[in-house]
């Protein structure tokens, strides 16, 4: 058992490359509209996690199809895909590449990385939790993680807004990203 495994009291996934299981992974976002939280999801994405022998050397890469966002309101989805926000015609992908990993406490971690939206790259830190490793009914090794971060959308040139007559703005400046990943170990 490694030092990190001793610290957290849980076995880490075996070293190797794991691919996001599309059927059991979600990439959600939460933004504010006036006073209400609006939730949405990216439905098409790909990603991989490379678990290193030394956990802090592990890496994560993910690509989201910007056109796949859904909030269950077509007018809002169309606006979010427009040049006012994601400008999906010119920038069809959102990319994340990790740059560092730190164990925090228990099964918690912080994953640093670079997030590229609209060809603008900024550093972000996801705070997460390792949920465990097991074997699925098909004999595949599965590792699960949960992570989230809050972004300031103006950092990616998404500045559109509308002042409200009663004060304040129509759209909040912060967006929370929540990721639930179930990843399958690739066969050698």
């Amino acid at each position: 058992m490694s030092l990190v495994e001793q610290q957290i009291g849980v076995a880490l996934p075996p070293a190797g490359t794991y691919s996001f299981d599309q059927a059991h992974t979600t990439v959600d976002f939460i933004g504010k509209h006036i006073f209400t939280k609006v939730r949405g999801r990216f439905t098409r994405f790909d990603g991989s996690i490379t678990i290193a022998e030394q956990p802090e050397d592990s890496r994560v890469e993910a690509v989201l199809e910007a056109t796949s966002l859904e909030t269950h309101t077509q007018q809002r989805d169309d606006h979010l895909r427009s040049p006012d926000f994601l400008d999906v015609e010119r920038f069809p992908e959102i990319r994340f590449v990790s740059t560092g990993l730190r164990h925090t406490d228990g099964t918690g971690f912080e994953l640093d990385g670079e997030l590229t939206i609209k060809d603008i790259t900024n550093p972000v830190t996801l705070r997460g939790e390792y949920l465990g490793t097991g074997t699925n009914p098909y004999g595949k090794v599965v590792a699960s993680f949960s992570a989230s971060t809050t972004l300031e959308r103006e950092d990616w040139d998404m500045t559109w807004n509308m002042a409200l007559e009663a004060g304040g703005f129509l759209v909040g400046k912060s967006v929370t990203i929540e990721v639930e990943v179930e990843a399958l170990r690739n066969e050698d």
Side-chain angles (χ1 to χ4, degrees):
M1 187 175 268
S2 74
L3 179 60
V4 173
E5 288 173 315
Q6 291 172 8
Q7 289 174 341
I8 67 174
V10 175
L12 295 175
T17 300
Y18 294 70
S19 296
F20 288 12
D21 179 348
Q22 302 291 314
H24 300 102
T25 297
T26 58
V27 181
D28 296 337
F29 60 90
I30 303 164
K32 281 226 175 164
H33 181 267
I34 307 177
F35 305 114
T36 305
K37 290 181 181 177
V38 173
R39 297 177 184 274
R41 168 174 287 177
F42 290 94
T43 60
R44 291 187 306 276
F45 51 83
D46 196 16
S48 66
I49 302 168
T50 302
I51 304 293
E53 293 294 335
Q54 296 299 316
E56 62 275 6
D57 295 332
S58 299
R59 293 187 43 82
V60 177
E61 293 188 24
V63 177
L64 311 176
E65 290 184 30
T67 58
S68 76
L69 76 84
E70 293 182 0
T71 66
H72 303 294
T73 302
Q74 188 64 48
Q75 182 180 4
R76 178 173 47 231
D77 293 354
D78 291 343
H79 192 201
L80 290 172
R81 291 180 187 122
S82 79
D84 286 341
F85 291 95
L86 293 174
D87 197 0
V88 300
E89 292 290 321
R90 291 181 49 214
F91 308 104
E93 294 182 342
I94 297 170
R95 293 187 163 276
F96 174 82
V97 176
S98 68
T99 58
L101 175 68
R102 288 178 304 288
H103 172 243
T104 53
D105 56 21
T107 56
F109 63 87
E110 289 183 342
L111 180 66
D112 296 326
E114 294 183 341
L115 180 63
T116 303
I117 303 172
K118 295 173 62 171
D119 277 353
I120 300 169
T121 302
N122 286 305
V124 298
T125 299
L126 289 100
R127 285 162 186 75
E129 180 180 8
Y130 166 59
L131 303 174
T133 301
T135 303
N136 72 11
Y138 307 103
K140 293 265 197 181
V141 175
V142 176
S144 296
F145 305 88
S146 179
S148 65
T149 191
T150 299
L151 311 174
E152 298 301 317
R153 63 185 178 85
E154 292 180 348
D155 291 345
W156 284 271
D157 195 30
M158 290 184 275
T159 59
W160 184 91
N161 221 329
M162 181 183 292
L164 298 173
E165 194 173 304
F169 292 93
L170 184 66
V171 180
K173 292 185 178 191
S174 298
V175 176
T176 299
I177 306 295
E178 296 179 343
V179 183
E180 299 292 329
V181 175
E182 192 170 288
L184 301 171
R185 187 168 189 230
N186 298 346
E187 299 194 18
D188 299 328

